[in-house]
């Protein structure tokens, strides 16, 4: 109907028609909400996102409500900025005006698809479904019936117990509750392929531990009927809203079979057994598993599955576990030291017992003070017929269970459960499956083996994924088929393209610029053969050697560093001073601050101008590193460069070269530049690139803030110098609360440096899942526009998300198409079949994979007022990856995001120092929480705000 709607002027000529049309319009709007986008529109021969509606069709006679006026500013496409001002552009409203939301940009058409073609296979497996099928979503509420006269049991919240109750419900009445036609998440959500009875149902479950039968009431309530026809409409582009409830239900159906047979950890499923070659000994082994997710793609619904490896404790008998961990243990006698080692090895582990039939798990609380043969206790007849008698543990196990205890000269295990303790001989206990083992606790040899298994080569990972798809405990089980889902067990074949690397500018000995073409397999350049484009003159610097008082080694290091920097075109004078001390200075913030201030003051007496940099040689990695960065970057205002003495004093040319690159970038020099301008931008365009990220603490630390970081380029067209801003915000809040104000500050910084504001802004946002697209697009982008734009300044903005946390893996169909590692070559891009059905996204592998299987980054374009074609944006991002300051090859992630990650991590270091200040203060817990968010701990020193101190 939108296409036939008359302009407002035509309606105003017949006012009586307007009175008739208003009730009709309201009725139609109620019956047919705006779920479908209007037809795609064209504007001056350029692409115009079809998901936005022209504001002229609002039918309000030219006067819009204030909410729509504000919304119109956000929705300006700005596709022809060179010829029209911001206010003259035709703005567009979203398809769902009632929600006042913008939808992500659609994929542009007309790309040239440049680059060398390469045949790939991807770990996407096509899922076929019947659109006429309906999946029924139920809510399960399980409560235990507490009978009078019986000891009340604590309500269990463990998924394994709730699953047992669900399984018993299905086994008791398989006709009404078919087990293989349901999928359960172990909490409240149950999905069924057939309608189920609703109401309350009693389930009796025998708790063998207490020899009691417990009764549970299972309440079943129908929540939704998920019609798969809606998913088909979305995949075909008929509707634009994502049917997340359907995808979540189908995803759980895919996970039902592995959840019944495998160890479930977070979103991963691991085999219950391990291979012989994966045994690390000492009671630990590597277990292989997978993680999967459903994705809507251009070829249809696809299951994306990737392999995984995790270290677990082996389900050994406790006696065997101790013999494998402690060679001196023979089960005969425990001396004081050996007893302490045994208690340390066992405490906190969970076990199951073998002397009776039970599925319960118990936690080892410790060892009994006496040995097994000396343990006696008062036995109370549960029926109350016989008097209480004192019996030995050995006699009890012989008469009660018919078990003779062999190892009587060692302690028993104290097993705790439900606030009670049980004494059980070690020989009747087996470690339960699924107990994770931290990688940090492995010895050095085992860690190397573990890393090698996690970083599997492309052929090995591809083989493992295919085997998982064929396995009986994989996602392709009977339950999946009973829901009418069919999974193609062959990987998706797709044609990718390899973008050619850009030409780079380096410095020449005579001060001119050398153009270097990077054409090798790794796309790597050798800094031994080239100089930096612009070397910073280092006239005022100091050396602090924390490793020794031997000045001779320091002199050799200084000489080698100066020679190496000179060969790179970075001219470094002799240091103003050298200070020698020990690592004890890193023990406190105040001690380190006093040292740095004294060095700065002593240097100022020799040269009135401020120190440029302090090079710190450390004897080892130390937790006081965070003190050094906090003091130097927030209080002193002098850049520091740290290195380990073992590397510094060895005089290795490659190490010294990399050190010089970091120093030059921190001081404002330029290491490498692109020969051609990015994306055919004009020199007068002045494009600014922004990177944004949020660093979160662990979920348990509820008073610890998240750290938001925003960086931006301050030079054009080289775009290799960045300024940074960092800000604390609410715990685990993904939205950048001060995004607009930080970007406004960076735009003003750009103006101070270049005397002009950027005409175009390209924002790269990191760390955002698919479900948070709306937040970034409708909240962060709106905040950016409100803060940066005004009547006189309205840059065109493009917003791109960079996703690293996905399971998609690209494999060469023919290994000979790649290099020695078997990975896809740098510059490999895929924008067909495995991408979104209609939104603007693509996968780009920009780096050379030396170890393991390369992971491409998924870039999703949510907003584009600069009218990029696919090729232009892919080439732009790939070329940017060559500009990372401290690398001599393209990096895996676009540098603005990479730098934002580094700055967010630096903010986390500041937060850790702030936390230590809290612990020393005498404030209450509420005051401590306020102190953790105190901006004073995160404010950079003014001298460092606009340089790359974080590299």
């Amino acid at each position: 109907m939108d296409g036939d709607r008359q302009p407002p002027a035509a309606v105003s000529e017949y006012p009586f028609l307007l009175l008739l049309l208003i009730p009709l319009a309201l009725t139609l709007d109620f019956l047919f909400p705006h779920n479908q986008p209007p037809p795609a529109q064209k504007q001056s021969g350029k692409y115009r996102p079809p998901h936005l509606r022209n504001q002229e069709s609002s039918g309000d006679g030219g006067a819009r409500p204030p909410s729509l006026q504000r919304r119109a500013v956000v929705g300006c496409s700005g596709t022809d900025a060179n010829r029209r001002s911001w206010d003259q552009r035709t703005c567009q409203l979203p398809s769902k005006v009632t929600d006042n939301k913008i939808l992500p940009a659609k994929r542009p058409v007309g790309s040239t698809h440049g680059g060398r073609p390469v045949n790939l296979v991807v770990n996407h497996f096509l899922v076929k479904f019947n659109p006429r099928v309906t999946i029924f979503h139920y809510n399960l509420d399980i409560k235990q019936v507490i009978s009078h006269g019986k000891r009340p049991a604590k309500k269990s919240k463990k998924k394994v117990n709730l699953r047992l109750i669900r399984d018993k419900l299905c086994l008791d009445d398989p006709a009404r509750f078919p087990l293989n036609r349901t999928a359960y998440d172990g909490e409240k959500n149950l999905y069924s392929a057939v309608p189920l009875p609703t109401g309350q149902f009693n389930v009796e479950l025998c708790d063998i531990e207490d020899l009691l039968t417990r009764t549970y009431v299972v309440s079943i309530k129908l929540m939704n009927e998920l019609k798969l026809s809606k998913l088909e409409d979305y995949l075909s582009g008929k509707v634009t809203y994502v049917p997340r409830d359907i995808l979540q239900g189908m995803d759980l159906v895919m996970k039902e079979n592995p959840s019944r047979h495998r160890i479930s950890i977070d979103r991963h499923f691991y085999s219950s057994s391990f291979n012989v070659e994966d045994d690390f000994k000492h009671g630990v082994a590597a277990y292989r598993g997978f993680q999967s997710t459903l994705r809507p793609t251009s070829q249809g619904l696809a299951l994306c599955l990737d392999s995984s490896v995790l270290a677990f404790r082996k389900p050994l008998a406790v006696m065997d576990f101790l013999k494998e961990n402690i060679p001196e243990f023979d089960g005969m006698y425990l001396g004081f030291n050996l007893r302490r080692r045994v208690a340390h090895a066992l405490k906190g582990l969970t076990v199951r017992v073998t002397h009776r039939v039970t599925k319960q798990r118990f936690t080892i609380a410790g060892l009994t003070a006496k040995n097994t043969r000396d343990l006696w206790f008062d036995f109370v007849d549960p029926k109350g017929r016989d008097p209480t008698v004192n019996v030995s543990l050995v006699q009890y196990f012989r008469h009660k269970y018919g078990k003779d205890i062999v190892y009587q000269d060692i302690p028993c295990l104290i097993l705790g459960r439900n606030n009670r303790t049980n004494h059980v001989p070690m020989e009747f206990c087996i470690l339960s499956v699924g107990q994770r083992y931290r990688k940090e606790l492995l010895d050095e040899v085992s860690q190397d083996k573990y890393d090698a298994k996690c970083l599997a080569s492309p052929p090995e990972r591809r083989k493992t994924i295919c085997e998982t798809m064929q396995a009986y405990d994989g996602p392709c089980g009977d339950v999946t088929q009973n829901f009418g889902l069919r999974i193609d067990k062959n990987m998706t074949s797709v044609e990718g393209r390899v973008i050619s690397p850009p030409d780079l500018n380096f410095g020449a000995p005579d001060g001119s610029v050398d153009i270097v073409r990077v054409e090798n397999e790794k796309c790597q350049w050798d800094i031994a053969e080239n100089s930096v484009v612009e070397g910073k003159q280092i006239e005022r610097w100091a050396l602090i050697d924390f490793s020794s008082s031997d000045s001779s080694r320091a002199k050799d290091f200084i000489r080698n560093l100066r020679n190496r920097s000179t060969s790179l075109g970075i001219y470094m004078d002799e240091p103003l001073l050298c200070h020698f001390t020990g690592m004890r200075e890193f023990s406190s913030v105040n001690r380190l601050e006093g040292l740095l201030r004294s060095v700065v003051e002593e240097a100022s007496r020799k040269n009135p101008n401020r120190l440029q940099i302090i090079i710190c040689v450390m004897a080892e990695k130390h937790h006081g590193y965070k003190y050094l960065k906090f003091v130097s970057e927030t209080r002193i205002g002098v850049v520091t460069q740290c290195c380990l003495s073992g590397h510094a004093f060895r005089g290795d040319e490659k190490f010294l070269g990399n050190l010089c690159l970091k120093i030059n970038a921190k001081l404002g020099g330029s290491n490498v530049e692109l020969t051609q301008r990015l994306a055919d931008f004009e020199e007068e365009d002045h494009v600014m690139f922004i990177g944004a990220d949020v660093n979160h603490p662990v979920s348990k630390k509820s008073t610890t803030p998240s750290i938001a970081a925003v960086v931006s380029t301050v030079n054009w067209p080289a775009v290799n110098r960045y300024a940074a801003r960092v800000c604390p915000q609410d715990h685990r809040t993904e939205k950048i609360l001060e995004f607009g104000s930080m970007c406004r500050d960076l735009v003003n910084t750009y103006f101070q440096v270049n005397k002009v504001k950027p005409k175009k802004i390209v924002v790269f946002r990191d760390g955002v899942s698919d479900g948070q697209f709306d937040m970034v697009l409708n909240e962060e982008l709106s905040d950016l526009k409100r803060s940066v734009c005004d009547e006189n300044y309205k840059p065109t903005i493009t917003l791109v998300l960079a996703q690293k946390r996905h399971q998609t893996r690209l494999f060469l169909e023919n290994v000979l198409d790649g290099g020695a590692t078997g990975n896809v070559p740098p510059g490999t891009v895929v924008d067909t079949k495995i991408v979104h059905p209609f939104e603007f996204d693509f996968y780009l592998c920009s780096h050379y994979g030396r170890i393991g299987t390369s992971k491409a980054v998924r870039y999703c374009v949510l907003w584009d007022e600069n009218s990029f074609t696919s090729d232009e944006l892919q080439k732009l991002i790939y070329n940017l990856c060559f500009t990372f300051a401290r690398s001599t090859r393209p990096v895996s992630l676009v540098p603005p995001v990479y730098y934002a990650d580094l700055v967010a991590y630096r903010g986390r270091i500041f937060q850790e120092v702030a936390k230590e200040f809290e612990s020393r203060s005498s404030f209450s817990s509420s005051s401590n929480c306020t102190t953790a968010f105190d901006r004073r701990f995160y404010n950079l020193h003014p001298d460092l705000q606009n340089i790359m101190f974080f590299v």
Side-chain angles (χ1 to χ4, degrees), residues 428-551:
F428 300 136
C429 296
I430 298 177
L431 296 183
S432 56
V433 298
Q435 298 186 69
R436 297 177 61 174
Y437 191 83
R438 289 168 51 196
K439 173 188 172 182
E440 297 79 15
L441 300 178
L442 293 171
D443 58 59
E444 187 175 351
V445 176
S446 297
Q447 282 195 24
D448 292 340
K449 291 176 60 178
Y450 181 80
D451 291 338
K453 297 179 186 302
C454 293
L455 301 173
S457 64
E460 183 180 351
R461 182 179 290 271
R462 179 179 175 181
K463 177 183 176 183
T464 302
I465 293 173
C466 292
E467 289 175 348
T468 302
M469 289 299 298
Q470 300 290 340
Y472 78 94
D473 55 358
C476 305
D478 293 338
V479 176
T480 303
Q481 297 179 13
N482 291 337
F483 276 81
L485 306 180
R486 299 292 183 270
I487 307 176
D488 186 348
K489 297 182 181 181
N490 296 313
M491 286 191 179
T492 297
S493 297
V494 63
E495 185 178 273
R497 294 173 289 112
V498 181
I499 305 174
S500 57
D503 294 340
L504 304 177
N505 288 344
F506 292 96
D510 59 356
S512 61
V513 175
D514 275 345
I515 299 177
V516 176
R517 175 159 296 183
V518 182
E519 293 181 334
N520 56 61
E521 172 190 326
K522 301 179 182 179
C523 289
Q524 185 175 3
W525 56 94
D526 189 355
I527 58 173
E529 301 175 357
N530 305 106
S531 301
V532 298
V533 176
E534 180 185 347
K536 200 70 175 178
Q537 183 80 24
I538 307 175
E539 302 171 334
R540 304 174 305 282
W541 67 286
L543 174 70
I544 303 180
D545 186 354
F546 293 93
S547 64
S548 69
S549 58
D550 185 2
S551 60

Side-chain angles (χ1 to χ4, degrees), residues 93-113:
L93 288 177
S95 55
K96 295 185 70 175
V97 180
T98 54
D99 292 339
N100 201 27
K101 300 289 186 181
I102 314 170
L103 297 178
K106 298 295 185 280
R107 187 180 308 280
V109 295
S111 297
T112 58
H113 296 298

Side-chain angles (χ1 to χ4, degrees), residues 545-563:
D545 186 354
F546 293 93
S547 64
S548 69
S549 58
D550 185 2
S551 60
S552 61
R553 294 202 305 170
K555 289 180 180 178
D556 292 339
F557 169 66
I558 293 171
R559 183 181 65 255
N560 294 332
L561 182 62
R562 292 185 65 209
N563 291 337

Side-chain angles (χ1 to χ4, degrees), residues 204-376:
E204 293 185 349
L205 199 64
C206 181
D207 191 339
I208 304 177
E209 177 193 3
D210 296 325
L211 300 178
L212 297 174
T213 299
R214 303 186 186 276
T215 302
Y216 299 88
V217 175
V218 181
S219 300
I220 302 179
K221 179 182 178 181
L222 179 64
M223 299 297 294
N224 198 3
E225 294 184 5
L226 307 176
K227 300 183 182 299
L228 301 193
S229 58
K230 295 182 179 180
L231 177 59
E232 185 182 46
D233 290 342
Y234 175 72
L235 294 172
S236 61
K238 294 180 181 178
V239 295
T240 56
Y241 65 89
V242 183
R244 299 196 184 280
D245 51 352
I246 298 177
L247 291 174
Q248 290 171 358
M250 296 178 72
D251 189 62
L252 185 63
V253 171
M254 295 288 186
K255 291 178 169 58
E256 178 67 19
N257 188 62
S259 67
R260 297 183 184 183
H261 299 92
R262 289 177 175 250
I263 303 169
S264 176
I265 301 291
D266 297 329
R267 299 178 182 179
H268 296 74
F269 297 96
Y270 295 93
S271 174
S272 56
S273 59
F274 62 91
N275 301 328
V276 177
E277 62 272 16
D278 296 335
D279 190 354
F280 296 149
K281 306 300 181 183
H282 307 295
V284 182
Y287 284 68
R288 299 180 181 272
F290 72 91
Q291 180 182 8
S292 65
T293 183
L294 282 176
R295 298 202 65 88
T297 67
S298 293
Q299 66 170 345
L301 188 65
L303 177 70
C304 179
L305 184 144
D306 191 22
S307 63
S308 177
V309 177
L310 194 63
F312 288 94
R313 294 189 183 274
K314 296 182 291 187
L316 296 171
V318 169
M319 298 298 292
D320 295 334
F321 170 78
L322 290 174
K323 291 176 182 178
E324 190 170 302
N325 274 271
I326 307 174
E328 297 85 356
F329 177 80
D330 58 4
M332 303 306 296
Y333 173 76
L334 295 184
F336 176 77
N337 290 331
L338 189 57
R339 178 190 178 92
R340 185 173 58 182
R341 291 172 61 188
V342 169
H344 177 74
L346 293 176
K347 188 173 182 180
L349 302 183
T350 60
V351 296
R352 59 183 180 87
V353 298
T354 60
H355 61 281
R356 58 189 177 89
V357 180
T358 178
K359 294 182 179 180
Q360 300 296 337
R361 296 181 179 184
F362 305 88
T363 301
I364 300 176
L367 303 180
T368 57
K370 297 180 179 180
N371 290 336
T372 303
R373 68 169 68 252
D374 299 325
L375 290 175
W376 292 70

